[in-house]
Structures are given as C-alpha cells and as structure tokens.
Amino acid sequence: MVIGAGVIGTALAARLGGGGRGAAGPAEVWLLDGGEPGAGTTASSMAWINAHSKTPRHYHELAVSGMRAHADLVRATGPAAYAGAGGGGSGGEGGGDGAGWYRPGGALRWASGGAGLDQLRRTVARLRDWGYAAEWIPVPRARELEPALRIEDAARVAYFPDEAAVDTRPFVAHLLATARARGVHVRTGEAARVVAIDTAGGRVRGVRCAGGETVPADVAVCCAGWRTPAVAALAGAHVPLVPGDAPGSEAPTLLAHLLPDAGAGPPLTRMVLSPRLHARPLAGGRVYLEALDLNDEVDQHTPADRVTALARELHARARDMLPALARAARLADARVCTRPLPPDDNSIVGRHAEAEGLYSVVTHSGMTLSLRLGELVAGELLTGREAPELAPYRPARFVR
C-alpha cells in the first residue's frame, strides 16, 4: 500500500508493480491519494534534477544516483521522453497527455562579487573535488548558450552540464501509466483519502479511506509529502518535518509562472540561477520563477493579495534578467507551496518501530531522488534486505 501519488509515491508504485514478489507470493500494490496524482507539491516543484548543493557526501552521491536514474529512464523511453515530444499540449505546465518531460541542457549560475561569488566558488570547488561536472565559462559563452539572458559583464558564470529539469505533469503521468500497466490498483480523489491505518498485534493490517472503503495491507508506505507526519501518526509513528505554518519557516516557497507573448524573443531553454532570481522553462513557453529571499516573505497563511504583490516583484526581476521574454509576458500563476523539508535537509526513508509494516519516504529534492528512491525502497520491501545506500536516512535518527 502506497499512500500519496506525488512523484515519490508514483515512482515507488511503478517499481513495486511488474511482478515483484514478497515472502508470501506476488505483491499486490495499491496507490491511494485524496487528490489527483501529482497535484500537490509535485505540481509546484522547480523540478531541477541536480546534486548541486547536496551535503554531506552521502547525500550528494544519492542525488547523483538519482540523476543517473533519470538519464536511464530517458534512454529506455527514447525520443518521446523529451519535453515537447509526443504531441504535448501548449497551454499549461506539463502539456497534454503523451507529452515528454525531460529537459537536458544543464544549469547556469552566476554571481558578480561578495558573499554570493564566494559561495559559488566554494560550490564549484567542492563539486569538482567530488567528480561532478562543474566548470567556469566566460560570459559571452553563457550568452551563446542562453540568448534570452542578460548577464552583467563582471559576472563569473558556472556551468553544470549534466543537470536537467523535468515537466512534472507528463513525468508523473508516465510513472502512473507504468504503474497501472504493471497491475497497480490506483484510487484517487476524496473517497480515496486515507483516514486511518489499522494496526493489530503491533503490525499494519490495512487502511481506511474517507469513502468508507477498507483496503487490507501488510505494508503501508507513507509518501504524502509535507502531510507525511500526519499520515504516519495514524499508526503512532513520528516523522519530523520543518512545519510549513511556523513564522519564518523555510518550508513555504513562493513561485510564479510567466506566459510570454508569441514572438517575445528567444525562449529560455535551461535552468538559470542568478543572485536575485531562479528561472526555468516550462511547457507551452511558460517560465517558472522563484527567488530565495522572497520565500522568507510567505507562509501557508499569506493573503492572496500579498502573494500577488510578491509575484509582481518576481516579474520585475525577470524583466531585468530576461528582458525581451519577460517584458512581453503576463503572470499566469502565483502561489505558495509547502516543501517537505526534514530538519537536517536529508531524506527520511525506512521502517518505523512503532508498527511492523509501516514505512515512510519523505524528502526535499523529491524530483531528483524519486526514481532512485523508488528502486531502493521497492528492493527493501520486496526482498526484506536493507539497502546500505539508505542507512543514513532512517527515521530512527529522530526518535524522541
């Protein structure tokens, strides 16, 4: 039983399906979500596939293996995996059914001095020391790679060629189609919202849904993003995350989408990170915008008019960084999303001592890690053998 059909839950369900066998025979897999697949934090993710700022070293290596898992899936899928392939629509993020999802091309990050440049130098040096592709390029080369950008002549530009982005809706749709093709039972919508995890004799026996259905299960995997603490608590387990509604919390993120007019100038084609704005291309020519300093201005209760005002500030910054593109663009979306953020920034993955058969998978950088975590967790659940790669991330490190 997988609870939560965001990118982590769908990736895990797709891995658990396909004829895997547990100790008692073929594994019957259910995927439940009280909303629509990929409609929560997954839909609001920047979806940057990277190991750019992941520390310590073991977490960096987990993210690198996540990047490789994405590249492997793209190779296995073929040209249809690439964004814009497969007849995708042009109206919104992710496109229509059948759209590709993968956007290669790396990431550009720059700074012009001060603490920002010092930090970037340290990042590049660390990544190179760890064998990660990171290089300094001249400003004219950056402008060649991304003609939409305005970059000051004094900037120092770092290029990370192996990084990528994904469009979340077609990616989750692909994983969900794979899961269904492998026999996974998928239930979504309010009636499928999990309201209880039944336990008896110290182990999981099943889950109850808001629509009245009880689904027997000997394993319940909580993949509910920032709601995971509440879901795990239904079986008496403790999963700590940075609270999204606390003043000054790092979990809430402000984001906006720009929709440029046709012929507005060269499109953005890859992830770009300036000191004041992060941006990436989306389907239909849209552009995702986020700024780390503005995240400090929002929480789960920020009024809509304040969110709109901050989104206008993102648009103003985009006019400076992407002048031709952003000047002829309108704000198509502005929202605050809550990221699932463990207190030590590292994933929480594993079984809970409170109830046999209860397992949680919750992490920041879920888009990068989804495929690799799906593979590792499915292996643990189907074989009973623990993956050494997951040893640093067990929930027991937070036992009170």
Side-chain angles (χ1 to χ4, degrees):
M1 174 69 59
V2 179
I3 304 169
V7 69
I8 296 290
T10 53
L12 176 57
R15 272 288 180 171
L16 287 170
R21 296 182 65 86
E28 185 175 8
V29 184
W30 288 70
L31 176 63
L32 302 178
D33 197 296
E36 292 306 308
T41 300
T42 293
S44 300
S45 171
M46 185 189 290
W48 176 18
I49 308 304
N50 78 98
H52 193 97
S53 56
K54 308 296 187 293
T55 58
R57 181 68 181 268
H58 62 74
Y59 191 42
H60 170 84
E61 295 297 344
L62 181 65
V64 169
S65 69
M67 294 170 67
R68 285 197 297 264
H70 278 277
D72 290 344
L73 178 61
V74 169
R75 281 192 292 272
T77 305
Y82 290 93
S90 60
E93 195 277 314
D97 292 342
W101 64 87
Y102 194 67
R103 295 180 182 271
L108 293 169
R109 179 180 168 190
W110 65 94
S112 297
L117 181 55
D118 289 342
Q119 182 188 49
L120 182 55
R121 284 175 172 148
R122 288 193 299 271
T123 297
V124 170
R126 172 178 55 81
L127 291 174
R128 282 177 157 179
D129 185 56
W130 288 356
Y132 190 85
E135 59 191 82
W136 295 105
I137 63 172
V139 169
R141 174 59 178 152
R143 291 169 179 156
E144 288 177 7
L145 288 170
E146 205 58 65
L149 289 178
R150 174 190 285 158
I151 306 177
E152 57 269 30
D153 292 337
R156 291 293 311 279
V157 183
Y159 180 43
F160 307 90
D162 293 344
E163 297 177 356
V166 300
D167 291 349
T168 61
R169 289 181 183 175
F171 181 51
V172 170
H174 176 83
L175 294 174
L176 197 63
T178 300
R180 285 184 164 128
R182 293 175 175 175
V184 175
H185 306 283
V186 180
R187 300 287 186 274
T188 60
E190 174 59 22
R193 179 170 55 86
V194 172
V195 297
I197 299 176
D198 294 330
T199 60
R203 66 163 299 113
V204 169
R205 301 296 182 182
V207 303
R208 281 178 279 157
C209 300
E213 185 176 14
T214 297
V215 183
D218 53 9
V219 175
V221 188
C222 303
C223 300
W226 65 268
R227 294 182 176 88
T228 295
V231 175
L234 296 174
H238 173 61
V239 178
L241 294 179
V242 174
D245 55 356
S249 170
E250 296 178 0
T253 298
L254 171 75
L255 64 98
H257 292 178
L258 286 185
L259 181 59
D261 290 342
L268 188 66
T269 63
R270 75 198 74 221
M271 185 75 61
V272 293
L273 304 108
S274 80
R276 301 183 71 240
L277 185 69
H278 296 174
R280 58 148 294 191
L282 298 170
R286 289 192 180 204
V287 179
Y288 176 107
L289 304 177
E290 181 184 331
L292 298 181
D293 63 307
L294 296 185
N295 289 343
D296 297 336
E297 303 292 324
V298 299
D299 58 33
Q300 289 178 331
H301 309 294
T302 302
D305 58 348
R306 177 61 175 159
V307 171
T308 299
L310 291 169
R312 291 193 184 109
E313 170 62 19
L314 286 173
H315 193 177
R317 296 183 187 190
R319 289 189 189 98
D320 183 58
M321 189 175 82
L322 305 163
L325 192 67
R327 271 199 301 266
R330 62 179 176 85
L331 278 170
D333 189 18
R335 71 185 93 139
V336 175
C337 78
T338 301
R339 301 175 294 176
L341 195 61
D344 60 4
D345 289 335
N346 285 195
S347 309
I348 302 173
V349 185
R351 296 177 175 85
H352 292 279
E354 293 88 344
E356 186 179 352
L358 184 67
Y359 196 110
S360 287
V361 187
V362 61
T363 187
H364 185 38
S365 299
M367 205 63 61
T368 296
L369 297 173
S370 56
L371 297 176
R372 182 59 176 155
L373 287 179
E375 178 183 5
L376 293 169
V377 172
E380 290 198 338
L381 296 175
L382 294 173
T383 69
R385 294 190 297 270
E386 292 195 345
E389 194 171 345
L390 295 177
Y393 310 111
R394 302 307 187 187
R397 73 187 191 272
F398 297 113
V399 169
R400 292 174 292 187

